[in-house]
Amino acid sequence: MATEDILSDRQNRMDHDRLFKELISTFFEEFMALFFPDAYEAIDFEHTSFLSEELFTDILKGEKRRVDLLVETRLKGEESLIIIHVEPQSYEQTTFHDRMFIYFSRLYEKYRRRILPIAVFSYDKVKEEPDTLHISFPFFDVMTFRFLKVELKRKNWRDYIQQDNPIAAALLSKMGYTPEERVEVKKEFLRMLVRLEQDPARMALLTGFFETYLPLSEEEEQHLRMELQKLDPDEEGRIMELTTSWHEKGRQEGRLEGRLEGRQEGRQEGKREAVHVLLQAKFGDAAKALHEDIQKLTKEEHIDELLLKVTGAPSLQEVKDFIQEKVPKQIEKKRLQ
């Protein structure tokens, strides 16, 4: 593999990990309730804080590895602190369970506390991942290390659509569904958003995450609009008001047109917020430098194009170049009017 391919592969992994870290850290309590109810019932979430990332060096390979999410908390009825380590994994790795043990060992060496390790497998292949590392001899068992795991592609998305849980809504996009079910998955995602009634920033995060992993084609979007028209008019209207999907152009036909009149600016602001959240998730604090330029985009079609650009952009510079191209054209057109 060429050097540039290796760098691109690492960047893609980092982007996936960053998106998952942003989602899980924002909805950590909901994440635990959804996938690990026993642990959820035992944890005292009033005493929860996020620790800084830990950077370890693989001595044999010479690579630096970053532990993605560390949460310091305690169990109900106990004073001693514990650590929960959540590791999103977006690609197959035969030695992943070894890596989880190494992380566990180094974290324990530093903190000397009980550690609950959790892996979230998000790659597209349906596969059962080992969750145990066992070291033994014929005459002696040295150790058995285990970690909790979530294998998203092995989850049936239909089992989660009745959950009033934001993490379930976003992760529908990474669960097991057929190509023929793509439109239905997004419809149910939008229905979940209506029930959840999150604030605009969290709504943008959920929508941005979902759209990153399940973007519909224009034909599929048209099919989705027809499916939404079959819903109860009130539910349909609330969906179109709340969603910050950049595929939603805000120019619906028939009875939706009346509902959306006068809401254009609100839609645009919601989409700009989606851009900010997604940029932050993908590129970190460096993305804040683009905040003012993004606010200068007032044409809805440009904001929609920017959302699509952010989804696939391999670098922050590519996003910046796109904005710098659109803003002057927008200003010039306004001057000539």
Side-chain angles (χ1 to χ4, degrees), residues 170-269:
L171 290 179
L172 290 181
S173 60
K174 293 298 292 179
M175 292 182 183
Y177 52 82
T178 66
E180 294 75 23
E181 293 176 319
R182 287 165 51 86
V183 171
E184 190 176 359
V185 173
K186 182 167 183 180
K187 182 186 75 172
E188 295 301 329
F189 165 72
L190 295 176
R191 298 182 74 188
M192 291 177 75
L193 285 189
V194 167
R195 299 198 308 268
L196 290 168
E197 298 184 345
Q198 297 287 301
D199 62 66
R202 292 189 172 201
M203 196 74 74
L205 172 60
L206 295 171
T207 305
F209 184 97
F210 183 92
E211 293 282 357
T212 296
Y213 293 109
L214 208 169
L216 298 186
S217 66
E218 182 57 35
E219 182 180 353
E220 288 173 323
E221 287 287 351
Q222 291 176 2
H223 184 194
L224 174 64
R225 287 194 283 270
M226 290 189 293
E227 290 298 312
L228 291 177
Q229 290 175 0
K230 298 176 183 178
L231 298 176
D232 176 86
D234 180 64
E235 183 181 18
E236 178 194 11
R238 293 176 66 196
I239 285 175
M240 301 316 301
E241 182 179 0
L242 290 177
T243 181
T244 56
S245 166
W246 50 87
H247 294 292
E248 175 51 55
K249 302 298 182 181
R251 294 188 291 270
Q252 304 303 314
E253 298 178 354
R255 57 202 174 101
L256 287 182
E257 288 182 349
R259 287 195 187 97
L260 295 178
E261 285 182 2
R263 294 176 181 164
Q264 182 178 6
E265 181 56 36
R267 284 198 310 272
Q268 290 182 0
E269 189 57 37

Side-chain angles (χ1 to χ4, degrees), residues 21-34:
K21 178 182 177 181
E22 182 75 15
L23 180 72
I24 295 173
S25 61
T26 302
F27 300 103
F28 176 69
E29 186 171 348
E30 292 87 345
F31 169 76
M32 296 300 295
L34 183 67

Side-chain angles (χ1 to χ4, degrees), residues 279-328:
L279 279 173
Q280 177 74 17
K282 289 188 70 172
F283 303 113
D285 291 340
K288 293 180 180 179
L290 299 183
H291 184 87
E292 291 186 8
D293 288 337
I294 292 171
Q295 295 303 116
K296 294 177 183 178
L297 290 175
T298 57
K299 288 184 66 66
E300 191 160 8
E301 62 188 72
H302 289 168
I303 302 173
D304 288 335
E305 292 174 13
L306 177 59
L307 278 162
L308 290 172
K309 173 63 68 175
V310 172
T311 302
S315 68
L316 189 61
Q317 184 61 45
E318 185 171 323
V319 179
K320 183 177 181 180
D321 291 343
F322 175 85
I323 296 173
Q324 290 179 342
E325 175 190 359
K326 295 297 181 182
V327 170

Side-chain angles (χ1 to χ4, degrees), residues 96-150:
F96 177 78
H97 57 306
D98 292 338
R99 180 152 64 90
M100 284 294 285
F101 173 66
I102 292 171
Y103 286 163
F104 177 89
S105 301
R106 296 189 178 180
L107 289 171
Y108 183 77
E109 180 183 23
K110 177 176 180 177
Y111 292 100
R112 299 289 173 166
R113 295 175 189 162
R114 286 178 293 172
I115 299 168
L116 179 64
I118 300 173
V120 182
F121 297 100
S122 63
Y123 54 77
D124 290 336
K125 185 176 180 180
V126 179
K127 174 187 175 185
E128 182 173 2
E129 285 281 355
D131 58 2
T132 303
L133 178 64
H134 186 64
I135 299 177
S136 68
F137 298 92
F139 52 86
F140 183 66
D141 285 337
V142 176
M143 179 202 71
T144 298
F145 166 75
R146 298 181 60 202
F147 55 89
L148 297 175
K149 64 179 179 177
V150 180

